[in-house]
CSV table of all heavy atoms in Angstrom, one decimal:
chain,number,residue,atom,x,y,z
A,1,PHE,N,95.5,39.9,-91.9
A,1,PHE,CA,94.5,38.9,-91.6
A,1,PHE,C,94.7,38.3,-90.2
A,1,PHE,O,93.9,37.4,-89.8
A,1,PHE,CB,94.4,37.9,-92.7
A,1,PHE,CG,94.0,38.5,-94.0
A,1,PHE,CD1,94.9,38.8,-94.9
A,1,PHE,CD2,92.6,38.7,-94.3
A,1,PHE,CE1,94.5,39.4,-96.1
A,1,PHE,CE2,92.2,39.3,-95.5
A,1,PHE,CZ,93.2,39.6,-96.4
A,2,GLN,N,95.7,38.7,-89.5
A,2,GLN,CA,95.9,38.0,-88.1
A,2,GLN,C,94.9,38.6,-87.2
A,2,GLN,O,94.4,39.7,-87.3
A,2,GLN,CB,97.3,38.4,-87.7
A,2,GLN,CG,98.4,37.7,-88.5
A,2,GLN,CD,99.8,38.1,-88.1
A,2,GLN,OE1,100.1,38.8,-87.2
A,2,GLN,NE2,100.8,37.6,-88.9
A,3,GLY,N,94.5,37.8,-86.2
A,3,GLY,CA,93.6,38.1,-85.2
A,3,GLY,C,92.1,38.0,-85.6
A,3,GLY,O,91.2,38.3,-84.8
A,4,PHE,N,91.9,37.3,-86.7
A,4,PHE,CA,90.5,37.2,-87.2
A,4,PHE,C,90.1,35.7,-87.2
A,4,PHE,O,89.0,35.3,-87.7
A,4,PHE,CB,90.3,37.7,-88.6
A,4,PHE,CG,90.5,39.2,-88.7
A,4,PHE,CD1,91.7,39.8,-89.1
A,4,PHE,CD2,89.5,40.0,-88.3
A,4,PHE,CE1,91.8,41.1,-89.2
A,4,PHE,CE2,89.6,41.4,-88.4
A,4,PHE,CZ,90.8,42.0,-88.8
A,5,GLY,N,90.9,34.8,-86.6
A,5,GLY,CA,90.6,33.4,-86.5
A,5,GLY,C,91.1,32.5,-87.6
A,5,GLY,O,90.8,31.3,-87.6
A,6,PHE,N,91.8,33.0,-88.5
A,6,PHE,CA,92.3,32.1,-89.6
A,6,PHE,C,93.3,31.1,-89.1
A,6,PHE,O,93.4,30.0,-89.5
A,6,PHE,CB,92.9,33.0,-90.7
A,6,PHE,CG,91.9,33.8,-91.5
A,6,PHE,CD1,91.8,35.1,-91.3
A,6,PHE,CD2,91.0,33.2,-92.3
A,6,PHE,CE1,90.8,35.9,-91.9
A,6,PHE,CE2,90.0,33.9,-93.0
A,6,PHE,CZ,90.0,35.3,-92.8
A,7,GLY,N,94.3,31.5,-88.2
A,7,GLY,CA,95.2,30.6,-87.6
A,7,GLY,C,94.6,29.5,-86.8
A,7,GLY,O,94.8,28.3,-87.0
A,8,GLN,N,93.6,29.9,-86.0
A,8,GLN,CA,92.8,28.9,-85.2
A,8,GLN,C,92.0,28.0,-86.1
A,8,GLN,O,92.0,26.8,-85.9
A,8,GLN,CB,91.8,29.6,-84.3
A,8,GLN,CG,91.0,28.7,-83.4
A,8,GLN,CD,90.2,29.4,-82.4
A,8,GLN,OE1,90.3,30.7,-82.2
A,8,GLN,NE2,89.3,28.7,-81.8
A,9,ALA,N,91.5,28.5,-87.2
A,9,ALA,CA,90.8,27.6,-88.2
A,9,ALA,C,91.7,26.6,-88.8
A,9,ALA,O,91.4,25.4,-89.0
A,9,ALA,CB,90.1,28.4,-89.2
A,10,ALA,N,93.0,27.1,-89.1
A,10,ALA,CA,94.0,26.3,-89.7
A,10,ALA,C,94.4,25.1,-88.8
A,10,ALA,O,94.5,23.9,-89.2
A,10,ALA,CB,95.2,27.0,-90.2
A,11,ILE,N,94.5,25.4,-87.5
A,11,ILE,CA,94.9,24.4,-86.5
A,11,ILE,C,93.8,23.4,-86.3
A,11,ILE,O,94.0,22.2,-86.3
A,11,ILE,CB,95.3,25.0,-85.2
A,11,ILE,CG1,96.6,25.9,-85.3
A,11,ILE,CG2,95.4,24.0,-84.1
A,11,ILE,CD1,97.8,25.1,-85.7
A,12,LYS,N,92.6,23.9,-86.3
A,12,LYS,CA,91.4,23.0,-86.2
A,12,LYS,C,91.3,22.1,-87.4
A,12,LYS,O,90.9,20.8,-87.3
A,12,LYS,CB,90.1,23.7,-85.9
A,12,LYS,CG,90.1,24.3,-84.5
A,12,LYS,CD,88.8,25.0,-84.2
A,12,LYS,CE,88.9,25.5,-82.8
A,12,LYS,NZ,87.6,26.1,-82.3
A,13,PHE,N,91.6,22.6,-88.6
A,13,PHE,CA,91.7,21.8,-89.8
A,13,PHE,C,92.7,20.7,-89.7
A,13,PHE,O,92.4,19.6,-90.0
A,13,PHE,CB,92.0,22.8,-91.0
A,13,PHE,CG,92.3,22.1,-92.3
A,13,PHE,CD1,91.3,21.7,-93.1
A,13,PHE,CD2,93.6,21.9,-92.7
A,13,PHE,CE1,91.5,21.1,-94.3
A,13,PHE,CE2,93.9,21.3,-94.0
A,13,PHE,CZ,92.8,20.9,-94.7
A,14,ALA,N,93.9,21.0,-89.2
A,14,ALA,CA,94.9,20.0,-88.9
A,14,ALA,C,94.5,19.0,-87.8
A,14,ALA,O,94.8,17.8,-88.0
A,14,ALA,CB,96.3,20.7,-88.6
A,15,GLN,N,93.9,19.5,-86.8
A,15,GLN,CA,93.5,18.6,-85.7
A,15,GLN,C,92.5,17.5,-86.1
A,15,GLN,O,92.4,16.5,-85.6
A,15,GLN,CB,93.0,19.4,-84.5
A,15,GLN,CG,94.0,20.2,-83.8
A,15,GLN,CD,93.5,21.1,-82.7
A,15,GLN,OE1,92.4,21.7,-82.9
A,15,GLN,NE2,94.3,21.3,-81.7
A,16,LYS,N,91.7,17.9,-87.2
A,16,LYS,CA,90.7,16.9,-87.7
A,16,LYS,C,91.4,15.8,-88.5
A,16,LYS,O,90.9,14.7,-88.6
A,16,LYS,CB,89.7,17.6,-88.6
A,16,LYS,CG,88.7,18.5,-87.9
A,16,LYS,CD,87.8,19.2,-88.8
A,16,LYS,CE,86.9,20.1,-88.1
A,16,LYS,NZ,86.0,20.9,-89.0
A,17,GLN,N,92.6,16.0,-88.9
A,17,GLN,CA,93.4,15.1,-89.7
A,17,GLN,C,94.3,14.1,-88.9
A,17,GLN,O,94.6,13.0,-89.3
A,17,GLN,CB,94.3,15.8,-90.7
A,17,GLN,CG,93.5,16.6,-91.7
A,17,GLN,CD,94.4,17.4,-92.6
A,17,GLN,OE1,95.3,16.8,-93.2
A,17,GLN,NE2,94.3,18.7,-92.6
A,18,PHE,N,94.7,14.6,-87.7
A,18,PHE,CA,95.6,13.8,-86.9
A,18,PHE,C,95.1,13.7,-85.5
A,18,PHE,O,94.4,14.7,-84.9
A,18,PHE,CB,97.0,14.5,-86.9
A,18,PHE,CG,97.6,14.5,-88.3
A,18,PHE,CD1,97.5,15.6,-89.1
A,18,PHE,CD2,98.2,13.4,-88.9
A,18,PHE,CE1,98.0,15.7,-90.4
A,18,PHE,CE2,98.8,13.4,-90.1
A,18,PHE,CZ,98.6,14.6,-90.9
A,19,GLU,N,95.6,12.6,-84.8
A,19,GLU,CA,95.2,12.5,-83.4
A,19,GLU,C,96.3,13.2,-82.5
A,19,GLU,O,96.2,13.4,-81.3
A,19,GLU,CB,95.1,11.0,-83.0
A,19,GLU,CG,93.9,10.4,-83.6
A,19,GLU,CD,93.7,9.0,-83.1
A,19,GLU,OE1,94.3,8.5,-82.1
A,19,GLU,OE2,92.8,8.3,-83.7
A,20,GLU,N,97.4,13.6,-83.1
A,20,GLU,CA,98.5,14.3,-82.4
A,20,GLU,C,99.2,15.2,-83.4
A,20,GLU,O,99.4,14.9,-84.6
A,20,GLU,CB,99.5,13.3,-82.0
A,20,GLU,CG,100.7,13.9,-81.3
A,20,GLU,CD,101.7,12.8,-80.8
A,20,GLU,OE1,101.3,12.0,-79.9
A,20,GLU,OE2,102.8,12.7,-81.3
A,21,LEU,N,99.5,16.4,-82.9
A,21,LEU,CA,100.2,17.4,-83.7
A,21,LEU,C,101.4,17.9,-82.9
A,21,LEU,O,101.3,18.0,-81.6
A,21,LEU,CB,99.3,18.6,-84.1
A,21,LEU,CG,98.2,18.4,-85.0
A,21,LEU,CD1,97.3,19.6,-85.1
A,21,LEU,CD2,98.7,18.1,-86.4
A,22,ARG,N,102.5,18.2,-83.6
A,22,ARG,CA,103.7,18.7,-82.9
A,22,ARG,C,104.3,19.9,-83.6
A,22,ARG,O,104.0,20.0,-84.9
A,22,ARG,CB,104.8,17.6,-82.8
A,22,ARG,CG,104.3,16.4,-82.0
A,22,ARG,CD,105.3,15.3,-82.1
A,22,ARG,NE,105.0,14.2,-81.1
A,22,ARG,CZ,105.6,14.0,-80.0
A,22,ARG,NH1,106.7,14.7,-79.7
A,22,ARG,NH2,105.2,13.1,-79.2
A,23,LEU,N,104.9,20.8,-82.9
A,23,LEU,CA,105.5,21.9,-83.6
A,23,LEU,C,106.5,22.6,-82.6
A,23,LEU,O,106.6,22.4,-81.4
A,23,LEU,CB,104.5,23.0,-83.9
A,23,LEU,CG,103.6,23.5,-82.8
A,23,LEU,CD1,104.2,24.8,-82.2
A,23,LEU,CD2,102.2,23.7,-83.3
A,24,TRP,N,107.4,23.4,-83.2
A,24,TRP,CA,108.4,24.2,-82.5
A,24,TRP,C,108.0,25.7,-82.6
A,24,TRP,O,107.5,26.1,-83.6
A,24,TRP,CB,109.8,24.1,-83.1
A,24,TRP,CG,110.4,22.8,-82.8
A,24,TRP,CD1,110.4,21.7,-83.7
A,24,TRP,CD2,111.2,22.4,-81.7
A,24,TRP,NE1,111.1,20.7,-83.1
A,24,TRP,CE2,111.6,21.1,-81.8
A,24,TRP,CE3,111.6,23.1,-80.5
A,24,TRP,CZ2,112.4,20.4,-80.9
A,24,TRP,CZ3,112.3,22.4,-79.6
A,24,TRP,CH2,112.7,21.1,-79.8
A,25,VAL,N,108.2,26.5,-81.5
A,25,VAL,CA,107.9,27.9,-81.5
A,25,VAL,C,109.1,28.5,-80.8
A,25,VAL,O,109.6,28.0,-79.8
A,25,VAL,CB,106.7,28.2,-80.6
A,25,VAL,CG1,106.5,29.7,-80.4
A,25,VAL,CG2,105.4,27.6,-81.3
A,26,PHE,N,109.5,29.7,-81.3
A,26,PHE,CA,110.7,30.4,-80.6
A,26,PHE,C,110.2,30.9,-79.2
A,26,PHE,O,109.0,31.3,-79.0
A,26,PHE,CB,111.1,31.6,-81.4
A,26,PHE,CG,111.7,31.3,-82.7
A,26,PHE,CD1,111.2,31.8,-83.9
A,26,PHE,CD2,112.9,30.5,-82.8
A,26,PHE,CE1,111.8,31.5,-85.1
A,26,PHE,CE2,113.5,30.2,-84.0
A,26,PHE,CZ,113.0,30.7,-85.1
A,27,GLN,N,111.1,30.8,-78.3
A,27,GLN,CA,110.7,31.2,-76.9
A,27,GLN,C,110.4,32.7,-76.9
A,27,GLN,O,109.6,33.1,-76.0
A,27,GLN,CB,111.9,30.9,-75.9
A,27,GLN,CG,112.0,29.4,-75.6
A,27,GLN,CD,113.1,29.1,-74.6
A,27,GLN,OE1,113.4,29.9,-73.7
A,27,GLN,NE2,113.7,27.9,-74.7
A,28,SER,N,111.0,33.5,-77.8
A,28,SER,CA,110.7,34.9,-77.8
A,28,SER,C,109.3,35.2,-78.3
A,28,SER,O,108.8,36.4,-78.2
A,28,SER,CB,111.8,35.6,-78.6
A,28,SER,OG,111.7,35.2,-80.0
A,29,ASN,N,108.7,34.2,-79.0
A,29,ASN,CA,107.4,34.5,-79.6
A,29,ASN,C,106.2,34.1,-78.6
A,29,ASN,O,105.5,33.2,-78.8
A,29,ASN,CB,107.2,33.7,-80.9
A,29,ASN,CG,106.1,34.1,-81.8
A,29,ASN,OD1,105.2,34.7,-81.2
A,29,ASN,ND2,106.1,33.7,-83.0
A,30,ILE,N,106.0,35.1,-77.7
A,30,ILE,CA,105.0,34.9,-76.6
A,30,ILE,C,103.6,34.8,-77.2
A,30,ILE,O,102.8,33.9,-76.8
A,30,ILE,CB,105.1,36.0,-75.6
A,30,ILE,CG1,106.5,36.2,-75.0
A,30,ILE,CG2,104.0,35.9,-74.5
A,30,ILE,CD1,107.0,34.9,-74.3
A,31,GLY,N,103.3,35.5,-78.2
A,31,GLY,CA,102.0,35.5,-78.9
A,31,GLY,C,101.7,34.1,-79.4
A,31,GLY,O,100.6,33.6,-79.2
A,32,ALA,N,102.7,33.5,-80.1
A,32,ALA,CA,102.5,32.1,-80.7
A,32,ALA,C,102.3,31.1,-79.5
A,32,ALA,O,101.5,30.2,-79.6
A,32,ALA,CB,103.6,31.7,-81.5
C-alpha cells in the first residue's frame, strides 16, 4: 500500500491534531 498516499494522509491526520510534530528518521532512509 506504499506510494498510494496513505502515509501522507496519516501525517495530515496528525497535523490536524497538533500545531507541531516531531520525529526521528534514519539518515540511511532517503525515501522517508
Side-chain angles (χ1 to χ4, degrees):
F1 296 96
Q2 292 176 4
F4 294 101
F6 293 106
Q8 183 175 347
I11 293 300
K12 289 182 177 184
F13 172 80
Q15 288 172 328
K16 289 178 184 175
Q17 298 176 56
F18 298 97
E19 292 186 12
E20 177 178 295
L21 293 170
R22 295 172 173 254
L23 59 93
W24 287 95
V25 172
F26 292 124
Q27 288 185 28
S28 63
N29 193 341
I30 304 301

